[in-house]
Amino acid sequence: MNKIRKPILDVLQGREPEHRPVWLMRQAGRYLPEYREIRAKSKNFLNMCLTPDLATEITLQPIRRFHMDAAILFADILLIPMALGVPLDFREGEGPVLQEVQEKELEKLVYDAKKVEAVFETVRRVKKELPPQTALIGFCGSPWTVACYMIDGNSRSHFSKTRSWAQDKPELLDKIIHTLIDASEKYLVSQINAGAEVIQLFDSWAGLLSGQNFTRFVIEPTRLLVERIKKIHPSIPIIGFPREAREGYGPYIRETGVDGLSIDQSLDLDIAKRDLQSIKPLQGNLDPSLLVKGGKEMQEALAQMLTKMGPCHIANLGHGVVPETPVEHVRDMVNFVQAFKI
Ligand code: CP3
């Protein structure tokens, strides 16, 4: 029997894909009317993440409409702090708010898998429903980015407290980060055991660090986490996304052990091709505002990206789909990429 190949896995494992693969960060979300309908009926966002019926439905919504090459599990990077016992709230129009972690309470952070069992059930259900050529991506936040939310509680002050811990109390930050590496390993291994076929690590705030602190709090924790997952599941590809890491992308792709690198839109594609794609497959980096604009401008940028990057590339945005994105533009992007020749 001829096994159906998944284009995203082909790219990440070094084979030429049958067509150019595409998926979008935040492909399940507020730009979709069917998502907004569920959102309006639900008590809160966290409840949606932790109800397998709803999370499965939301994960599948963009796949049914647009047939992307991968589904990404509907959940959130802040479920790990929740599983560590940190009170978490998603407020309307305000984003996530966590209870700030106190220095003296670090010992009390213990990962309780039961609190996120619903996530693994969602993975099992989605896996059963997906078309055979569609890959399922599991994810978590990288330790640095999750630590930012745990220490500051929210993003209002651009994580000033976390940044001051990095300078003045690095041992405390190391401690939180190691707790997060342990929890993330368990959480991701459970997602893989339930059926996730690719893992993405979201380091949305990697760009806040540079130099030695980037090495200590971004590269080293990612390297450890990747090493531990690979020990248990050596063949599951891992994509890293150290957003806005600038000159940090090079050391990140060379030293962390990730199989693919997602790049943000600030990176020049010629430089990305020369310095990064020569090492590992890349993902990205269309500006999300071009997906809002759509039309000729978007198609020209897509053609340029696809021509430059060649088949060793997963088409995606440089960050998530924004809520004002017209649904038709998402359809155009997916069709354009999947039909692209050369
Ligand atoms: O479609 C997907 O990409 C899968 C689901 C997913 C969500 N969040 C759902 C979500 C993923 C992969 C994430 C990752 C995530 N969550 C990140 C890393 C990526 C990034 O955007 O930088 C971060 C930093 C978070 C934390 C978070 N969750 C914030 C800051 C917010 C508020 C901002 C916003 O966009 O509303 C969320 C809420 C959130 N997570 C929504 C969704 C669909 C919107 C919730 C709503 O409907 O109100």
Side-chain angles (χ1 to χ4, degrees):
M1 201 178 76
N2 221 344
K3 209 166 160 256
I4 291 179
R5 297 218 327 222
K6 306 192 183 198
I8 286 193
L9 292 180
D10 281 340
V11 169
L12 290 168
Q13 293 167 344
R15 297 180 299 266
E16 183 132 342
E18 173 258 321
H19 65 252
R20 299 296 197 85
V22 57
W23 70 280
L24 304 175
M25 293 186 262
R26 289 282 170 96
Q27 63 189 23
R30 286 166 295 186
Y31 75 102
L32 275 178
E34 57 269 38
Y35 172 85
R36 291 198 301 271
E37 202 176 302
I38 295 183
R39 181 82 175 87
K41 279 191 255 164
S42 302
K43 269 191 296 200
N44 62 49
F45 174 73
L46 205 49
N47 186 51
M48 285 158 64
C49 294
L50 295 173
T51 307
D53 269 354
L54 296 179
T56 302
E57 169 58 23
I58 296 169
T59 304
L60 295 170
Q61 282 175 346
I63 306 301
R64 281 197 206 108
R65 249 192 207 258
F66 312 113
H67 316 288
M68 285 98 170
D69 293 284
I72 180 160
L73 163 72
F74 182 77
D76 198 86
I77 66 164
L78 299 176
L79 295 184
I80 287 192
M82 188 210 67
L84 288 168
V86 178
L88 166 66
D89 191 12
F90 281 85
R91 297 188 191 150
E92 210 57 59
E94 209 189 317
V97 181
L98 290 86
Q99 191 176 94
E100 288 168 47
V101 166
Q102 304 302 320
E103 289 183 32
K104 291 186 208 74
E105 291 177 352
L106 299 185
E107 315 295 336
K108 292 190 198 146
L109 299 171
V110 179
Y111 175 74
D112 180 356
K114 288 194 294 298
K115 292 189 172 149
V116 277
E117 182 47 46
V119 173
F120 314 135
E121 177 58 20
T122 301
V123 174
R124 283 188 284 273
R125 292 193 194 184
V126 171
K127 189 67 182 287
K128 274 193 224 144
E129 302 270 331
L130 277 181
Q133 70 279 14
T134 314
L136 176 53
I137 304 177
F139 73 93
C140 75
S142 297
W144 159 253
T145 286
V146 177
C148 282
Y149 285 98
M150 287 175 70
I151 294 167
D152 270 80
N154 60 65
S155 60
R156 261 174 260 142
S157 63
H158 296 281
F159 306 106
S160 58
K161 193 168 155 194
T162 312
R163 283 184 285 160
S164 76
W165 280 32
Q167 298 309 329
D168 308 332
K169 302 175 186 176
E171 296 78 20
L172 275 183
L173 187 51
D174 278 336
K175 208 163 169 183
I176 292 206
I177 282 190
H178 279 274
T179 302
L180 286 168
I181 295 171
D182 291 344
S184 305
E185 176 194 350
K186 294 187 183 115
Y187 181 67
L188 291 177
V189 166
S190 299
Q191 289 187 24
I192 297 168
N193 290 341
E197 301 167 283
V198 176
I199 292 296
Q200 176 146 327
L201 303 175
F202 285 91
D203 217 342
S204 306
W205 302 108
L208 294 176
L209 296 175
S210 58
Q212 286 178 347
N213 279 346
F214 185 81
T215 307
R216 180 168 178 170
F217 301 120
V218 171
I219 295 204
E220 206 37 37
T222 306
R223 193 187 63 71
L224 268 172
L225 179 56
V226 170
E227 183 179 79
R228 293 211 209 154
I229 294 166
K230 296 266 177 205
K231 219 174 246 170
I232 302 169
H233 289 293
S235 62
I236 297 290
I238 301 175
I239 302 170
F241 181 34
R243 190 169 68 91
E244 289 178 4
R246 306 172 307 272
E247 65 278 8
Y249 276 119
Y252 186 100
I253 198 171
R254 285 192 299 274
E255 294 166 24
T256 58
V258 293
D259 302 277
L261 181 75
S262 202
I263 56 173
D264 69 83
Q265 64 268 22
S266 70
L267 214 61
D268 177 83
L269 281 184
D270 288 314
I271 294 173
K273 186 180 170 74
R274 189 192 66 199
D275 297 346
L276 303 171
Q277 203 189 27
S278 48
I279 305 175
K280 300 267 171 75
L282 298 186
Q283 171 177 279
N285 69 345
L286 190 84
D287 191 324
S289 67
L290 281 168
L291 189 62
V292 176
K293 279 190 191 145
K296 220 167 167 273
E297 208 176 328
M298 174 182 83
Q299 291 196 356
E300 278 168 11
L302 278 174
Q304 203 182 40
M305 174 176 87
L306 295 169
T307 307
K308 228 169 236 178
M309 302 316 278
C312 185
H313 172 244
I314 299 167
N316 204 320
L317 304 174
H319 199 194
V321 180
V322 294
E324 57 272 28
T325 305
V327 168
E328 280 312 312
H329 297 177
V330 174
R331 184 186 315 283
D332 286 348
M333 172 164 174
V334 174
N335 290 344
F336 188 91
V337 173
Q338 291 177 340
F340 194 79
K341 297 284 173 241
I342 352 174

